Amino acid sequence: EAGVTQSPRYAVLQEGQAVSFWCDPISGHDTLYWYQQPRDQGPQLLVYFRDEAVIDNSQLPSDRFSAVRPKGTNSTLKIQSAKQGDTATYLCASSLGVAEQFFGPGTRLTVL
Amino acid sequence: GQQVQQSPTSLVLQEGENAELQCNFSTSLNSMQWFYQRPGGSLISVFYNPSGTKQSGRLTSTTVIKERRSSLHISSSQITDSGTYLCAMEPSGSWQLIFGSGTQLTVMP
C-alpha cells in the first residue's frame, strides 16, 4: 500500500513569489491534514479536511495561504506571496477518521 | 502555555544504554502518537497509543490518559536510534495533533 506522497520535495523562492504544494493521501483515508514545521520545531497544524470539507483552518494565514481538496482525495496548499518567515517544511498527513495519522515526506520551502 | 511539554530537550547516550523520554499534556486528550524524525527526514510513526503500554522491539510506550502523560523507553540503544523523537497529542474534541518540541537523541559508539 502506497503511503502519503507529496510534491515537490524542495522549493526555493524569492519573497513575493507564489508556490503550490500537492499531496496525495493514503487511498481510502477521509481526513487530510497540512502542517508547517519550522526548522528545529515540532509541526503545527495549518488546516485539515474531512472528505472535501474544511474542518478547521483557524491557523491558516488566510491572507496569503489557501488550501483545497475538491474531490475529497488529493489536496493543494498554495502560498500567494511568500515571505521569509514561511521558510519551513510543509507536511501532509492522512488518517481514516479519528485515528493514527500517517505523514508524507514533506516539502522543504526556502524563501530568500 | 505549551500544551505538550517534552523532556529532555536533548540526550546523549553511549551505545547500549537505555533512554527514557517523557511527555506531559496540559489538557485532556483522546490519544497520542510518538514519531521519529531524522534531520531533513519525514515523520515516522513509532506508536499510536490511545492508552496503556505498547512494545515494538526495543521500544516501549506507556500512556496514562487520566494522568495526561506518556513515556517512550528505548532499551539497549544503537547508533541508528539517533534522531529526533516527537510526541503529539490529540486533544479531546479535536482531530488535530499538537506536537511537543522534540527530544534530540544522539547515540555514540
Side-chain angles (χ1 to χ4, degrees):
Chain A
E1 179 185 295
V4 178
T5 56
Q6 292 185 245
S7 65
R9 293 297 311 276
Y10 303 92
V12 180
L13 307 174
Q14 298 290 332
E15 272 200 324
Q17 288 187 304
V19 64
S20 291
F21 310 134
W22 181 83
C23 173
D24 189 3
I26 291 172
S27 177
H29 279 192
D30 56 356
T31 310
L32 185 147
Y33 312 79
W34 284 102
Y35 291 85
Q36 180 191 60
Q37 185 178 21
R39 187 178 174 85
D40 295 329
Q41 295 183 34
Q44 298 169 345
L45 182 75
L46 291 173
V47 58
Y48 74 99
F49 299 83
R50 185 172 187 186
D51 298 320
E52 67 276 6
V54 173
I55 303 301
D56 185 351
N57 63 356
S58 60
Q59 296 167 81
L60 192 68
S62 57
D63 58 333
R64 297 184 299 109
F65 286 63
S66 62
V68 294
R69 193 186 185 200
K71 297 183 179 179
T73 51
N74 301 335
S75 177
T76 303
L77 176 69
K78 183 173 183 178
I79 306 175
Q80 284 284 9
S81 178
K83 297 182 178 180
Q84 287 188 350
D86 298 332
T87 294
T89 297
Y90 291 83
L91 297 163
C92 178
S94 71
S95 68
L96 183 60
V98 182
E100 185 175 8
Q101 292 187 26
F102 296 89
F103 281 76
T107 296
R108 188 182 293 184
L109 173 67
T110 302
V111 183
L112 303 174
Chain B
Q2 282 192 323
Q3 290 183 274
V4 182
Q5 297 279 358
Q6 196 168 345
S7 62
T9 305
S10 62
L11 185 59
V12 180
L13 301 175
Q14 293 292 321
E15 196 173 14
E17 291 182 326
N18 299 332
E20 187 88 6
L21 282 55
Q22 301 283 350
C23 270
N24 290 286
F25 312 110
S26 62
T27 61
S28 59
L29 62 154
N30 292 329
S31 65
M32 62 83 55
Q33 276 183 261
W34 282 97
F35 293 91
Y36 169 73
Q37 188 175 39
R38 286 193 184 275
S42 59
L43 287 170
I44 299 168
S45 181
V46 177
F47 287 108
Y48 174 67
N49 198 356
S51 190
T53 298
K54 288 191 173 182
Q55 183 174 1
S56 176
R58 295 179 295 104
L59 302 181
T60 304
S61 168
T62 300
T63 297
V64 184
I65 292 287
K66 281 197 318 183
E67 297 179 10
R68 299 180 183 175
R69 60 177 175 85
S70 182
S71 64
L72 179 67
H73 182 82
I74 304 172
S75 62
S76 303
S77 62
Q78 299 178 358
I79 294 170
T80 53
D81 293 334
S82 298
T84 299
Y85 292 81
L86 292 145
C87 67
M89 63 172 275
E90 183 187 287
S92 298
S94 173
W95 289 3
Q96 67 170 291
L97 286 177
I98 298 176
F99 283 80
S101 299
T103 294
Q104 191 165 335
L105 176 65
T106 304
V107 182
M108 310 289 287

